């Protein structure tokens, strides 16, 4: 039952993310579709750095070498570092202000996934993967409803992604974090967070490179062909 909830929730959440790339063409045109495709591609790279390849490590830490708070605080640190790296990348690439805002908001929206992933691994160790499955189901439904309604109402992709980010992050705190209070019984310190990050650094490098290699050609295509043509491709397949 737990596995079925998780499977259905995961599928529905990622289906909703793909559906956004289809709806944006219908609701806002190919230019915004191309911008959304770019947001997905760039955020996928830097979210991999935020997640740090840590899920499998945490889920297999059966002897609790690092407690839950250490994993959670490390995610805040890696998330902040990934956001900083993303900002540096955007400045270096010279995208428009509107595109930069959209990418940053989409990264923050995806960070709700990265944060939820810490709870996911903890629930996995407790044989309760139905909880993250239900969380993804809720966030997927919220995402697609808000995306359609706000984009039609505001005609602004930046506002749409920004509001979705805020609501999905709130959902993680109200749903996952509330049910994850049982894991917050122990404290941590900077030394333990540092040791965890150092130990998982090879995983982070592998995950970052493994994500970047297939996405790099898509970023080059976007640069050469422009948003509109890339928007057509993005509505068929997401990066």
């Amino acid at each position: 039952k737990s596995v079925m909830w998780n499977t259905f929730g995961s599928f529905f959440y990622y289906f909703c993310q793909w559906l956004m790339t289809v709806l944006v063409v219908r609701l806002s045109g190919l230019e915004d579709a191309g911008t959304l495709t770019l947001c997905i591609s760039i955020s996928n790279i830097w979210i991999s750095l935020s997640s740090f390849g840590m899920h499998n490590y945490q889920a297999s830490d059966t002897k609790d070498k690092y407690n839950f708070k250490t994993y959670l605080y490390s995610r805040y640190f890696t998330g902040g570092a990934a956001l900083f790296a993303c900002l540096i990348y955007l400045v270096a690439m010279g995208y428009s202000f509107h595109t930069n805002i959209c990418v940053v908001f989409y990264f923050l929206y995806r960070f709700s996934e990265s944060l939820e992933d810490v709870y996911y691994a903890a629930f996995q160790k407790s044989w309760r993967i139905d909880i993250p499955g239900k969380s993804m189901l809720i966030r997927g439904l919220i995402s697609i409803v808000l995306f359609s309604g706000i984009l039609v109402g505001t005609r602004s992709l930046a506002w749409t992604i920004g509001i979705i980010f805020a609501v999905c992050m709130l959902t993680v705190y109200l749903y996952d974090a509330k049910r994850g209070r049982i894991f917050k019984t122990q404290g941590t310190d900077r030394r333990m967070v540092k040791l965890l990050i150092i130990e998982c650094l090879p995983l982070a490098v592998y995950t970052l490179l493994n994500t970047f290699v297939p996405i790099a050609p898509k970023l080059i295509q976007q640069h050469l062909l422009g948003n509109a043509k890339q928007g057509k491709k993005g509505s068929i397949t997401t990066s």
Side-chain angles (χ1 to χ4, degrees):
K1 183 179 177 180
S2 183
V3 170
M4 290 301 295
W5 266 113
N6 189 267
T7 302
F8 179 73
S10 301
F11 174 80
F12 183 78
Y13 180 75
Y14 292 114
F15 172 77
C16 288
Q17 287 198 328
W18 168 80
L19 189 57
M20 287 183 196
T21 66
V22 176
L23 290 176
V24 69
V25 178
R26 304 294 182 182
L27 300 176
S28 193
L30 288 174
E31 193 67 27
D32 273 351
T35 300
L36 181 60
T37 301
L38 184 66
C39 291
I40 294 170
S41 297
I42 295 175
S43 66
N44 278 350
I45 295 172
W46 301 113
I47 280 298
S48 69
L49 178 61
S50 172
S51 297
F52 224 68
M54 205 176 284
H55 176 94
N56 291 339
Y57 184 95
Q58 181 185 354
S60 61
D61 184 10
T62 55
K63 295 183 179 180
D64 293 324
K65 181 178 180 180
Y66 301 101
N67 63 41
F68 177 79
K69 279 193 174 180
T70 302
Y71 286 106
L72 185 61
Y73 291 168
S74 72
R75 188 56 46 88
Y76 289 130
F77 177 82
T78 57
L83 177 59
F84 180 75
C86 182
L87 292 173
I88 296 297
Y89 173 84
L90 292 174
V91 171
M93 294 302 295
Y95 295 118
S96 68
F97 178 77
H98 175 261
T99 298
N100 289 343
I101 292 296
C102 289
V103 171
V104 170
F105 277 150
Y106 198 87
F107 171 88
L108 293 173
Y109 160 58
R110 293 292 307 280
F111 180 68
S112 69
E113 292 178 25
S114 184
L115 189 61
E116 192 265 347
D117 190 59
V118 181
Y119 292 96
Y120 187 163
F123 287 128
Q124 185 175 342
K125 289 170 65 176
S126 304
W127 300 92
R128 288 300 309 275
I129 58 174
D130 57 302
I131 296 176
K134 292 172 184 177
S135 174
M136 286 186 280
L137 183 66
I138 294 169
R139 286 184 288 119
L141 185 61
I142 288 173
S143 298
I144 201 63
V145 170
L146 288 179
F147 185 84
S148 304
I150 297 172
L151 191 58
V152 170
T154 65
R155 295 293 177 183
S156 170
L157 185 62
W159 271 105
T160 301
I161 299 173
I163 293 173
I164 291 174
F165 142 65
V167 176
C168 284
M169 187 65 76
L170 186 63
T171 303
V172 171
Y173 281 108
L174 292 179
Y175 187 84
D176 299 85
K178 185 177 180 180
R179 285 155 181 78
R181 287 174 182 172
I182 56 173
F183 305 124
K184 298 182 180 180
T185 55
Q186 299 171 296
T188 188
D189 55 46
R190 292 181 179 178
R191 184 181 67 85
M192 294 302 293
V193 172
K194 181 180 178 181
L195 288 175
L196 174 61
I197 290 174
I198 292 174
E199 192 161 353
C200 289
L201 186 59
L203 282 171
V205 173
Y206 160 74
T207 305
L208 182 63
L209 292 175
N210 193 48
T211 305
F212 176 76
V213 169
I215 289 178
K218 298 180 177 69
L219 296 175
I220 296 172
Q221 287 176 4
Q222 186 102 17
H223 179 72
L224 296 176
L225 301 178
N227 279 356
K229 289 185 178 180
Q230 192 71 359
K232 294 179 182 179
K233 181 173 179 290
S235 64
I236 301 171
T237 174
T238 55
S239 301

